[in-house]
Structures are given as structure tokens and as C-alpha cells.
mmCIF file of all heavy atoms in Angstrom:
data_model
loop_
_atom_site.group_PDB
_atom_site.id
_atom_site.type_symbol
_atom_site.label_atom_id
_atom_site.label_comp_id
_atom_site.label_asym_id
_atom_site.label_seq_id
_atom_site.Cartn_x
_atom_site.Cartn_y
_atom_site.Cartn_z
ATOM 1 N N GLU N 1 -48.381 -55.781 21.981
ATOM 2 C CA GLU N 1 -49.548 -54.760 22.159
ATOM 3 C C GLU N 1 -49.639 -54.767 23.790
ATOM 4 O O GLU N 1 -50.072 -53.593 24.229
ATOM 5 C CB GLU N 1 -50.787 -55.550 21.713
ATOM 6 C CG GLU N 1 -52.115 -54.573 22.001
ATOM 7 C CD GLU N 1 -53.423 -55.467 21.517
ATOM 8 O OE1 GLU N 1 -53.257 -56.520 20.948
ATOM 9 O OE2 GLU N 1 -54.449 -54.808 21.803
ATOM 10 N N LEU N 2 -49.429 -55.809 24.433
ATOM 11 C CA LEU N 2 -49.459 -55.655 25.969
ATOM 12 C C LEU N 2 -48.456 -54.612 26.462
ATOM 13 O O LEU N 2 -48.697 -53.694 27.281
ATOM 14 C CB LEU N 2 -49.205 -57.090 26.573
ATOM 15 C CG LEU N 2 -49.222 -56.982 28.227
ATOM 16 C CD1 LEU N 2 -50.592 -56.500 28.736
ATOM 17 C CD2 LEU N 2 -48.860 -58.362 28.743
ATOM 18 N N ARG N 3 -47.270 -54.597 25.955
ATOM 19 C CA ARG N 3 -46.183 -53.703 26.318
ATOM 20 C C ARG N 3 -46.641 -52.230 26.022
ATOM 21 O O ARG N 3 -46.585 -51.333 26.872
ATOM 22 C CB ARG N 3 -44.983 -53.898 25.574
ATOM 23 C CG ARG N 3 -43.709 -53.090 25.903
ATOM 24 C CD ARG N 3 -43.700 -51.584 25.301
ATOM 25 N NE ARG N 3 -43.722 -51.717 23.831
ATOM 26 C CZ ARG N 3 -42.720 -51.653 23.121
ATOM 27 N NH1 ARG N 3 -41.508 -51.567 23.592
ATOM 28 N NH2 ARG N 3 -42.883 -51.664 21.729
ATOM 29 N N ASN N 4 -47.334 -52.094 24.806
ATOM 30 C CA ASN N 4 -47.742 -50.654 24.556
ATOM 31 C C ASN N 4 -48.942 -50.160 25.367
ATOM 32 O O ASN N 4 -48.931 -49.077 25.813
ATOM 33 C CB ASN N 4 -48.204 -50.761 23.067
ATOM 34 C CG ASN N 4 -47.032 -50.907 22.000
ATOM 35 O OD1 ASN N 4 -45.958 -50.854 22.345
ATOM 36 N ND2 ASN N 4 -47.427 -51.331 20.713
ATOM 37 N N ARG N 5 -49.813 -51.159 25.595
ATOM 38 C CA ARG N 5 -50.883 -50.770 26.572
ATOM 39 C C ARG N 5 -50.504 -50.409 27.987
ATOM 40 O O ARG N 5 -50.972 -49.430 28.587
ATOM 41 C CB ARG N 5 -51.927 -51.810 26.714
ATOM 42 C CG ARG N 5 -52.603 -52.071 25.320
ATOM 43 C CD ARG N 5 -53.887 -53.126 25.430
ATOM 44 N NE ARG N 5 -54.888 -52.465 26.243
ATOM 45 C CZ ARG N 5 -55.821 -51.669 25.792
ATOM 46 N NH1 ARG N 5 -55.837 -51.391 24.538
ATOM 47 N NH2 ARG N 5 -56.793 -51.127 26.534
ATOM 48 N N LEU N 6 -49.467 -51.245 28.518
ATOM 49 C CA LEU N 6 -48.899 -50.916 29.806
ATOM 50 C C LEU N 6 -48.195 -49.645 29.779
ATOM 51 O O LEU N 6 -48.186 -48.927 30.829
ATOM 52 C CB LEU N 6 -48.160 -52.131 30.367
ATOM 53 C CG LEU N 6 -48.896 -53.405 30.842
ATOM 54 C CD1 LEU N 6 -47.935 -54.403 31.095
ATOM 55 C CD2 LEU N 6 -49.712 -52.909 32.135
ATOM 56 N N ALA N 7 -47.371 -49.380 28.657
ATOM 57 C CA ALA N 7 -46.691 -48.214 28.789
ATOM 58 C C ALA N 7 -47.478 -46.966 28.714
ATOM 59 O O ALA N 7 -47.340 -45.935 29.350
ATOM 60 C CB ALA N 7 -45.758 -48.096 27.461
ATOM 61 N N ALA N 8 -48.600 -47.082 28.008
ATOM 62 C CA ALA N 8 -49.537 -46.051 27.952
ATOM 63 C C ALA N 8 -50.322 -45.707 29.325
ATOM 64 O O ALA N 8 -50.635 -44.628 29.679
ATOM 65 C CB ALA N 8 -50.717 -46.258 26.872
ATOM 66 N N ALA N 9 -50.627 -46.951 29.933
ATOM 67 C CA ALA N 9 -51.364 -46.809 31.206
ATOM 68 C C ALA N 9 -50.406 -46.297 32.301
ATOM 69 O O ALA N 9 -51.012 -45.766 33.388
ATOM 70 C CB ALA N 9 -51.980 -48.140 31.558
ATOM 71 N N THR N 10 -49.141 -46.534 32.306
ATOM 72 C CA THR N 10 -48.265 -46.133 33.317
ATOM 73 C C THR N 10 -47.275 -45.002 33.056
ATOM 74 O O THR N 10 -46.638 -44.448 33.938
ATOM 75 C CB THR N 10 -47.400 -47.473 33.806
ATOM 76 O OG1 THR N 10 -46.620 -47.761 32.629
ATOM 77 C CG2 THR N 10 -48.287 -48.599 34.116
ATOM 78 N N GLY N 11 -47.071 -44.715 31.774
ATOM 79 C CA GLY N 11 -46.082 -43.759 31.373
ATOM 80 C C GLY N 11 -44.762 -44.371 31.508
ATOM 81 O O GLY N 11 -43.695 -43.483 31.366
ATOM 82 N N LEU N 12 -44.516 -45.557 31.752
ATOM 83 C CA LEU N 12 -43.159 -46.046 31.971
ATOM 84 C C LEU N 12 -42.529 -46.434 30.639
ATOM 85 O O LEU N 12 -43.240 -46.807 29.680
ATOM 86 C CB LEU N 12 -43.267 -47.273 32.929
ATOM 87 C CG LEU N 12 -43.652 -47.047 34.194
ATOM 88 C CD1 LEU N 12 -43.908 -48.376 34.958
ATOM 89 C CD2 LEU N 12 -42.638 -46.213 35.057
ATOM 90 N N HIS N 13 -41.244 -46.402 30.472
ATOM 91 C CA HIS N 13 -40.582 -46.884 29.197
ATOM 92 C C HIS N 13 -40.324 -48.416 29.508
ATOM 93 O O HIS N 13 -39.547 -48.867 30.329
ATOM 94 C CB HIS N 13 -39.320 -46.213 29.129
ATOM 95 C CG HIS N 13 -38.514 -46.652 27.763
ATOM 96 N ND1 HIS N 13 -38.898 -46.340 26.635
ATOM 97 C CD2 HIS N 13 -37.331 -47.287 27.695
ATOM 98 C CE1 HIS N 13 -38.039 -46.934 25.679
ATOM 99 N NE2 HIS N 13 -37.141 -47.572 26.344
ATOM 100 N N LEU N 14 -41.094 -49.293 28.750
ATOM 101 C CA LEU N 14 -40.982 -50.643 28.945
ATOM 102 C C LEU N 14 -40.335 -51.390 27.655
ATOM 103 O O LEU N 14 -40.655 -50.959 26.581
ATOM 104 C CB LEU N 14 -42.366 -51.265 29.198
ATOM 105 C CG LEU N 14 -43.120 -50.622 30.333
ATOM 106 C CD1 LEU N 14 -44.509 -51.125 30.496
ATOM 107 C CD2 LEU N 14 -42.326 -50.915 31.654
ATOM 108 N N PRO N 15 -39.629 -52.511 27.874
ATOM 109 C CA PRO N 15 -38.958 -53.085 26.733
ATOM 110 C C PRO N 15 -39.956 -53.938 25.992
ATOM 111 O O PRO N 15 -41.021 -54.432 26.515
ATOM 112 C CB PRO N 15 -37.917 -53.952 27.368
ATOM 113 C CG PRO N 15 -38.408 -54.205 28.747
ATOM 114 C CD PRO N 15 -39.185 -53.008 29.143
ATOM 115 N N ALA N 16 -39.586 -54.143 24.658
ATOM 116 C CA ALA N 16 -40.557 -54.898 23.811
ATOM 117 C C ALA N 16 -40.491 -56.356 24.267
ATOM 118 O O ALA N 16 -41.491 -57.213 23.944
ATOM 119 C CB ALA N 16 -40.145 -54.735 22.422
ATOM 120 N N THR N 17 -39.451 -56.765 24.954
ATOM 121 C CA THR N 17 -39.324 -58.182 25.454
ATOM 122 C C THR N 17 -39.993 -58.475 26.754
ATOM 123 O O THR N 17 -39.765 -59.474 27.433
ATOM 124 C CB THR N 17 -37.822 -58.626 25.485
ATOM 125 O OG1 THR N 17 -37.201 -57.721 26.398
ATOM 126 C CG2 THR N 17 -37.042 -58.464 24.140
ATOM 127 N N LEU N 18 -40.862 -57.539 27.235
ATOM 128 C CA LEU N 18 -41.411 -57.580 28.566
ATOM 129 C C LEU N 18 -42.029 -58.983 28.794
ATOM 130 O O LEU N 18 -41.716 -59.512 29.935
ATOM 131 C CB LEU N 18 -42.529 -56.548 28.542
ATOM 132 C CG LEU N 18 -42.967 -55.937 29.963
ATOM 133 C CD1 LEU N 18 -41.888 -55.411 30.812
ATOM 134 C CD2 LEU N 18 -44.196 -55.105 29.749
ATOM 135 N N VAL N 19 -42.833 -59.451 27.937
ATOM 136 C CA VAL N 19 -43.602 -60.753 28.249
ATOM 137 C C VAL N 19 -42.659 -61.906 28.360
ATOM 138 O O VAL N 19 -42.855 -62.956 29.120
ATOM 139 C CB VAL N 19 -44.566 -61.132 27.194
ATOM 140 C CG1 VAL N 19 -45.099 -62.407 27.201
ATOM 141 C CG2 VAL N 19 -45.845 -60.086 27.474
ATOM 142 N N PHE N 20 -41.567 -61.785 27.678
ATOM 143 C CA PHE N 20 -40.422 -62.979 27.779
ATOM 144 C C PHE N 20 -39.538 -62.755 29.004
ATOM 145 O O PHE N 20 -39.092 -63.815 29.520
ATOM 146 C CB PHE N 20 -39.753 -62.916 26.445
ATOM 147 C CG PHE N 20 -40.626 -63.041 25.225
ATOM 148 C CD1 PHE N 20 -40.892 -61.954 24.496
ATOM 149 C CD2 PHE N 20 -41.284 -64.311 24.841
ATOM 150 C CE1 PHE N 20 -41.887 -61.964 23.477
ATOM 151 C CE2 PHE N 20 -42.076 -64.413 23.814
ATOM 152 C CZ PHE N 20 -42.380 -63.163 23.123
ATOM 153 N N ASP N 21 -39.237 -61.596 29.393
ATOM 154 C CA ASP N 21 -38.435 -61.337 30.597
ATOM 155 C C ASP N 21 -39.084 -61.660 31.796
ATOM 156 O O ASP N 21 -38.461 -62.024 32.769
ATOM 157 C CB ASP N 21 -37.934 -59.876 30.437
ATOM 158 C CG ASP N 21 -36.939 -59.624 29.271
ATOM 159 O OD1 ASP N 21 -36.345 -60.582 28.731
ATOM 160 O OD2 ASP N 21 -36.838 -58.372 28.891
ATOM 161 N N TYR N 22 -40.350 -61.309 31.796
ATOM 162 C CA TYR N 22 -41.130 -61.580 33.045
ATOM 163 C C TYR N 22 -42.421 -62.368 32.682
ATOM 164 O O TYR N 22 -43.462 -61.957 32.239
ATOM 165 C CB TYR N 22 -41.623 -60.224 33.623
ATOM 166 C CG TYR N 22 -40.432 -59.441 33.885
ATOM 167 C CD1 TYR N 22 -39.995 -58.488 32.908
ATOM 168 C CD2 TYR N 22 -39.697 -59.512 35.052
ATOM 169 C CE1 TYR N 22 -38.852 -57.582 33.189
ATOM 170 C CE2 TYR N 22 -38.643 -58.672 35.306
ATOM 171 C CZ TYR N 22 -38.181 -57.774 34.247
ATOM 172 O OH TYR N 22 -36.982 -57.066 34.414
ATOM 173 N N PRO N 23 -42.361 -63.776 32.587
ATOM 174 C CA PRO N 23 -43.185 -64.667 31.923
ATOM 175 C C PRO N 23 -44.501 -64.916 32.633
ATOM 176 O O PRO N 23 -45.258 -65.673 31.982
ATOM 177 C CB PRO N 23 -42.220 -65.914 31.824
ATOM 178 C CG PRO N 23 -41.486 -65.915 33.060
ATOM 179 C CD PRO N 23 -41.076 -64.508 33.262
ATOM 180 N N THR N 24 -44.910 -64.309 33.578
ATOM 181 C CA THR N 24 -46.310 -64.397 34.191
ATOM 182 C C THR N 24 -46.817 -63.151 34.627
ATOM 183 O O THR N 24 -45.969 -62.125 34.764
ATOM 184 C CB THR N 24 -46.255 -65.426 35.478
ATOM 185 O OG1 THR N 24 -45.528 -64.700 36.489
ATOM 186 C CG2 THR N 24 -45.503 -66.705 35.216
ATOM 187 N N PRO N 25 -48.047 -62.905 34.747
ATOM 188 C CA PRO N 25 -48.616 -61.632 35.192
ATOM 189 C C PRO N 25 -48.165 -61.210 36.409
ATOM 190 O O PRO N 25 -47.876 -60.001 36.789
ATOM 191 C CB PRO N 25 -50.124 -61.924 35.218
ATOM 192 C CG PRO N 25 -50.332 -63.014 34.247
ATOM 193 C CD PRO N 25 -49.179 -63.868 34.302
ATOM 194 N N ALA N 26 -47.961 -62.196 37.513
ATOM 195 C CA ALA N 26 -47.307 -61.794 38.770
ATOM 196 C C ALA N 26 -45.800 -61.199 38.437
ATOM 197 O O ALA N 26 -45.487 -60.220 39.195
ATOM 198 C CB ALA N 26 -47.362 -63.069 39.596
ATOM 199 N N ASP N 27 -45.143 -61.891 37.615
ATOM 200 C CA ASP N 27 -43.629 -61.411 37.571
ATOM 201 C C ASP N 27 -43.726 -59.956 36.915
ATOM 202 O O ASP N 27 -42.939 -59.193 37.221
ATOM 203 C CB ASP N 27 -42.920 -62.220 36.660
ATOM 204 C CG ASP N 27 -42.763 -63.763 37.255
ATOM 205 O OD1 ASP N 27 -42.679 -63.754 38.483
ATOM 206 O OD2 ASP N 27 -42.738 -64.832 36.527
ATOM 207 N N LEU N 28 -44.632 -59.878 35.934
ATOM 208 C CA LEU N 28 -44.670 -58.579 35.291
ATOM 209 C C LEU N 28 -45.105 -57.421 36.191
ATOM 210 O O LEU N 28 -44.723 -56.392 36.120
ATOM 211 C CB LEU N 28 -45.662 -58.650 34.073
ATOM 212 C CG LEU N 28 -45.797 -57.443 33.291
ATOM 213 C CD1 LEU N 28 -44.500 -56.830 32.744
ATOM 214 C CD2 LEU N 28 -46.654 -57.775 32.033
ATOM 215 N N ALA N 29 -46.127 -57.720 37.042
ATOM 216 C CA ALA N 29 -46.577 -56.815 38.007
ATOM 217 C C ALA N 29 -45.478 -56.412 38.955
ATOM 218 O O ALA N 29 -45.410 -55.049 39.290
ATOM 219 C CB ALA N 29 -47.827 -57.459 38.804
ATOM 220 N N GLY N 30 -44.678 -57.303 39.403
ATOM 221 C CA GLY N 30 -43.532 -57.067 40.207
ATOM 222 C C GLY N 30 -42.572 -56.068 39.631
ATOM 223 O O GLY N 30 -41.996 -55.061 40.206
ATOM 224 N N TYR N 31 -42.282 -56.356 38.300
ATOM 225 C CA TYR N 31 -41.426 -55.441 37.617
ATOM 226 C C TYR N 31 -41.947 -54.146 37.345
ATOM 227 O O TYR N 31 -41.355 -53.005 37.597
ATOM 228 C CB TYR N 31 -41.071 -56.141 36.192
ATOM 229 C CG TYR N 31 -40.290 -55.149 35.328
ATOM 230 C CD1 TYR N 31 -39.047 -54.952 35.422
ATOM 231 C CD2 TYR N 31 -41.046 -54.550 34.195
ATOM 232 C CE1 TYR N 31 -38.247 -54.062 34.745
ATOM 233 C CE2 TYR N 31 -40.216 -53.694 33.400
ATOM 234 C CZ TYR N 31 -38.809 -53.524 33.571
ATOM 235 O OH TYR N 31 -38.251 -52.659 32.835
ATOM 236 N N VAL N 32 -43.225 -53.993 36.956
ATOM 237 C CA VAL N 32 -43.821 -52.680 36.827
ATOM 238 C C VAL N 32 -43.914 -51.839 38.036
ATOM 239 O O VAL N 32 -43.527 -50.655 38.120
ATOM 240 C CB VAL N 32 -45.279 -52.751 36.231
ATOM 241 C CG1 VAL N 32 -46.075 -51.471 36.184
ATOM 242 C CG2 VAL N 32 -45.318 -53.402 34.824
ATOM 243 N N LEU N 33 -44.159 -52.459 39.212
ATOM 244 C CA LEU N 33 -44.190 -51.764 40.498
ATOM 245 C C LEU N 33 -42.761 -51.314 40.813
ATOM 246 O O LEU N 33 -42.545 -50.194 41.252
ATOM 247 C CB LEU N 33 -44.685 -52.672 41.605
ATOM 248 C CG LEU N 33 -44.616 -52.144 43.076
ATOM 249 C CD1 LEU N 33 -45.500 -50.865 43.100
ATOM 250 C CD2 LEU N 33 -45.271 -53.114 43.934
ATOM 251 N N SER N 34 -41.797 -52.069 40.559
ATOM 252 C CA SER N 34 -40.376 -51.812 40.970
ATOM 253 C C SER N 34 -40.070 -50.593 40.031
ATOM 254 O O SER N 34 -39.202 -49.602 40.443
ATOM 255 C CB SER N 34 -39.463 -52.951 40.630
ATOM 256 O OG SER N 34 -39.348 -53.202 39.259
ATOM 257 N N GLN N 35 -40.344 -50.476 38.817
ATOM 258 C CA GLN N 35 -40.090 -49.287 37.904
ATOM 259 C C GLN N 35 -40.684 -48.074 38.387
ATOM 260 O O GLN N 35 -40.182 -47.045 38.278
ATOM 261 C CB GLN N 35 -40.511 -49.660 36.543
ATOM 262 C CG GLN N 35 -39.674 -50.872 35.852
ATOM 263 C CD GLN N 35 -38.126 -50.605 35.899
ATOM 264 O OE1 GLN N 35 -37.588 -49.553 35.299
ATOM 265 N NE2 GLN N 35 -37.479 -51.271 36.797
ATOM 266 N N ALA N 36 -41.975 -48.222 38.747
ATOM 267 C CA ALA N 36 -42.803 -47.086 39.285
ATOM 268 C C ALA N 36 -42.207 -46.395 40.520
ATOM 269 O O ALA N 36 -42.201 -45.289 40.732
ATOM 270 C CB ALA N 36 -44.195 -47.541 39.503
ATOM 271 N N LEU N 37 -41.609 -47.342 41.263
ATOM 272 C CA LEU N 37 -40.901 -46.857 42.545
ATOM 273 C C LEU N 37 -39.359 -46.535 42.280
ATOM 274 O O LEU N 37 -38.696 -46.228 43.266
ATOM 275 C CB LEU N 37 -41.049 -48.058 43.623
ATOM 276 C CG LEU N 37 -42.327 -48.463 44.041
ATOM 277 C CD1 LEU N 37 -42.198 -49.628 45.032
ATOM 278 C CD2 LEU N 37 -43.006 -47.290 44.764
ATOM 279 N N GLY N 38 -38.946 -46.674 41.085
ATOM 280 C CA GLY N 38 -37.545 -46.169 40.863
ATOM 281 C C GLY N 38 -36.598 -47.289 41.149
ATOM 282 O O GLY N 38 -35.373 -46.939 41.285
ATOM 283 N N ASP N 39 -36.985 -48.494 41.209
ATOM 284 C CA ASP N 39 -35.912 -49.738 41.436
ATOM 285 C C ASP N 39 -35.501 -50.127 40.192
ATOM 286 O O ASP N 39 -36.155 -50.889 39.414
ATOM 287 C CB ASP N 39 -36.674 -50.688 42.313
ATOM 288 C CG ASP N 39 -35.737 -51.812 42.711
ATOM 289 O OD1 ASP N 39 -34.585 -51.695 42.220
ATOM 290 O OD2 ASP N 39 -36.229 -52.926 43.094
ATOM 291 N N GLU N 40 -34.239 -49.785 39.891
ATOM 292 C CA GLU N 40 -33.694 -50.217 38.639
ATOM 293 C C GLU N 40 -33.363 -51.694 38.502
ATOM 294 O O GLU N 40 -33.184 -52.277 37.399
ATOM 295 C CB GLU N 40 -32.408 -49.489 38.246
ATOM 296 C CG GLU N 40 -32.751 -47.959 38.060
ATOM 297 C CD GLU N 40 -33.598 -47.675 36.988
ATOM 298 O OE1 GLU N 40 -33.637 -48.329 35.897
ATOM 299 O OE2 GLU N 40 -34.398 -46.729 37.093
ATOM 300 N N THR N 41 -33.391 -52.400 39.557
ATOM 301 C CA THR N 41 -33.058 -53.827 39.488
ATOM 302 C C THR N 41 -34.302 -54.674 39.013
ATOM 303 O O THR N 41 -34.051 -55.767 38.613
ATOM 304 C CB THR N 41 -32.766 -54.380 41.007
ATOM 305 O OG1 THR N 41 -33.877 -54.318 41.794
ATOM 306 C CG2 THR N 41 -31.600 -53.515 41.572
ATOM 307 N N GLY N 42 -35.413 -54.057 39.011
ATOM 308 C CA GLY N 42 -36.551 -54.840 38.516
ATOM 309 C C GLY N 42 -37.193 -55.792 39.478
ATOM 310 O O GLY N 42 -37.948 -56.653 39.117
ATOM 311 N N SER N 43 -36.844 -55.727 40.814
ATOM 312 C CA SER N 43 -37.378 -56.576 41.805
ATOM 313 C C SER N 43 -37.811 -55.763 43.035
ATOM 314 O O SER N 43 -37.322 -54.793 43.361
ATOM 315 C CB SER N 43 -36.389 -57.529 42.226
ATOM 316 O OG SER N 43 -36.826 -58.432 43.288
ATOM 317 N N THR N 44 -39.053 -56.249 43.516
ATOM 318 C CA THR N 44 -39.609 -55.517 44.582
ATOM 319 C C THR N 44 -39.102 -56.101 45.872
ATOM 320 O O THR N 44 -39.528 -55.671 46.912
ATOM 321 C CB THR N 44 -41.118 -55.502 44.518
ATOM 322 O OG1 THR N 44 -41.606 -56.966 44.435
ATOM 323 C CG2 THR N 44 -41.597 -54.836 43.338
ATOM 324 N N HIS N 45 -38.409 -57.256 45.912
ATOM 325 C CA HIS N 45 -37.973 -57.846 47.059
ATOM 326 C C HIS N 45 -36.615 -58.606 46.833
ATOM 327 O O HIS N 45 -36.214 -58.930 45.658
ATOM 328 C CB HIS N 45 -38.925 -58.858 47.653
ATOM 329 C CG HIS N 45 -39.195 -59.996 46.752
ATOM 330 N ND1 HIS N 45 -39.995 -59.952 45.600
ATOM 331 C CD2 HIS N 45 -38.620 -61.331 46.768
ATOM 332 C CE1 HIS N 45 -39.960 -61.063 45.068
ATOM 333 N NE2 HIS N 45 -39.108 -61.998 45.647
ATOM 334 N N ASP N 46 -35.819 -58.614 47.901
ATOM 335 C CA ASP N 46 -34.494 -59.386 47.743
ATOM 336 C C ASP N 46 -34.572 -60.737 48.237
ATOM 337 O O ASP N 46 -35.345 -61.060 49.228
ATOM 338 C CB ASP N 46 -33.415 -58.524 48.467
ATOM 339 C CG ASP N 46 -33.219 -57.211 47.923
ATOM 340 O OD1 ASP N 46 -33.278 -57.197 46.437
ATOM 341 O OD2 ASP N 46 -32.890 -56.292 48.625
ATOM 342 N N THR N 47 -34.048 -61.815 47.552
ATOM 343 C CA THR N 47 -33.923 -63.129 48.074
ATOM 344 C C THR N 47 -32.609 -63.512 48.383
ATOM 345 O O THR N 47 -31.686 -63.270 47.564
ATOM 346 C CB THR N 47 -34.518 -64.222 46.904
ATOM 347 O OG1 THR N 47 -35.860 -63.752 46.649
ATOM 348 C CG2 THR N 47 -34.417 -65.468 47.456
ATOM 349 N N ALA N 48 -32.310 -63.746 49.647
ATOM 350 C CA ALA N 48 -31.059 -63.967 50.044
ATOM 351 C C ALA N 48 -30.939 -65.288 50.750
ATOM 352 O O ALA N 48 -31.746 -65.501 51.657
ATOM 353 C CB ALA N 48 -30.481 -62.953 50.925
#
């Protein structure tokens, strides 16, 4: 249901495993933002 609501609110194509792939609201927000910006890696920052 969360996936469906976020997909409707953003227009993004989101996987059904969203909550399991990004297990906290902070992780999920980072992924959604990266997708909105066209970052296919799913991360808004690089850790090196």
C-alpha cells in the first residue's frame, strides 16, 4: 500500500519490495529523491 501511494504521489515506477530494499523512512526518502533526479543507482550521495 505504501508503494502504491508513493507511486501515485510521485508518478515514479517503484518496486513492490520498496520497504524491504530501503528499510527506514530516511532510506526510502533518499531512494525516491534519487529516482526523481534520474539517479539510477538509488543513492543521493557517494560513500568512499
